[in-house]
């Protein structure tokens, strides 16, 4: 059962890697194909997909967060900021080390904008509040037993 539920995630991560490379390197399909191919022959995602390990979910969440941050900056649509916050919240709820990707993404959102500091700060606040809301919805035991949660991650 674990193979059935965990095996689509590396395939999804490969697709996200392709889309992310295509979005960053515009007009260079060879780089996007190389990115997807290299992820598909890595040993660790293949090995972890045999077991229900959270690292495959974490990889998908991190890649999707980076992709959504890139789309949000290029399209300047509020909807993608909400999706980015939700994806970050689910990624951190999956494994707390997924929170390490939050700071670089927020720096990217803040310094890639052409508007004033107030508008960029509102974008970051939107992402953070959405991520916190989704995190607490998907991990309600953090609110119920905060001291136990803090002891486990410290």
């Amino acid at each position: 059962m674990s193979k059935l539920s965990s095996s689509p995630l590396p395939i999804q991560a490969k697709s996200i890697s392709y889309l992310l490379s295509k979005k960053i390197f515009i007009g260079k399909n060879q780089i996007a194909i190389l990115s997807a191919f290299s992820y598909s022959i890595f040993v660790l995602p293949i090995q972890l997909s045999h077991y229900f390990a959270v690292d495959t979910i974490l990889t998908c969440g991190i890649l999707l967060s980076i992709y959504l941050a890139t789309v949000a900056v290029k399209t300047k649509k509020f909807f993608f900021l909400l999706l980015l916050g939700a994806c970050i919240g689910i990624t951190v709820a999956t494994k707390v080390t997924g929170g390490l990707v939050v700071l670089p993404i927020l720096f990217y959102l803040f310094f890639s904008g052409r508007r004033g500091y107030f508008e960029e700060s509102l974008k970051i606040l939107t992402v953070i509040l959405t991520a916190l809301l989704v995190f607490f919805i998907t991990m309600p035991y953090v609110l119920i037993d905060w001291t136990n949660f803090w002891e486990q991650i410290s």
Side-chain angles (χ1 to χ4, degrees):
M1 186 66 186
S2 64
K3 286 183 185 181
L4 286 174
S5 59
S6 182
S7 60
L9 294 171
I11 297 168
Q12 207 171 17
K14 180 177 65 169
S15 303
I16 296 168
S17 171
Y18 174 79
L19 291 173
L20 180 64
S21 299
K22 198 170 182 178
K23 182 71 74 176
I24 292 174
F25 303 107
I26 298 171
K28 300 210 167 56
N29 285 337
Q30 295 89 0
I31 295 175
I33 291 171
L34 181 66
S35 169
F37 176 73
S38 64
Y39 186 81
S40 65
I41 63 170
F42 288 157
V43 176
L44 189 62
I46 296 169
Q47 182 181 2
L48 290 177
S49 66
H50 286 21
Y51 314 106
F52 194 70
V54 295
D55 296 321
T56 55
I57 304 168
L58 183 70
T59 304
C60 270
I62 289 173
L63 283 173
L64 188 60
S65 298
I66 295 170
Y67 176 72
L68 287 173
T70 307
V71 171
V73 166
K74 292 195 186 255
T75 62
K76 296 177 178 56
K77 293 194 178 182
F78 185 73
F79 176 70
F80 290 111
L81 293 174
L82 293 176
L83 279 178
L84 173 62
C87 186
I88 288 173
I90 291 172
T91 302
V92 174
T94 301
K95 195 171 184 180
V96 178
T97 56
L100 296 174
V101 77
V102 172
L103 197 59
I105 286 176
L106 294 180
F107 277 133
Y108 175 65
L109 286 175
F110 187 76
F111 290 115
S112 64
R114 308 267 192 273
R115 294 178 276 190
Y117 289 117
F118 181 72
E119 288 86 6
E120 301 304 321
S121 299
L122 283 179
K123 285 190 335 189
I124 290 174
L125 188 65
T126 301
V127 171
I128 290 173
L129 289 178
T130 308
L132 285 174
L133 178 70
V134 170
F135 174 74
F136 287 127
I137 288 173
T138 56
M139 293 269 303
Y141 293 106
V142 171
L143 292 175
I144 295 170
D145 195 8
W146 173 257
T147 56
N148 187 21
F149 173 75
W150 188 252
E151 286 175 7
Q152 288 181 1
I153 65 169
S154 308

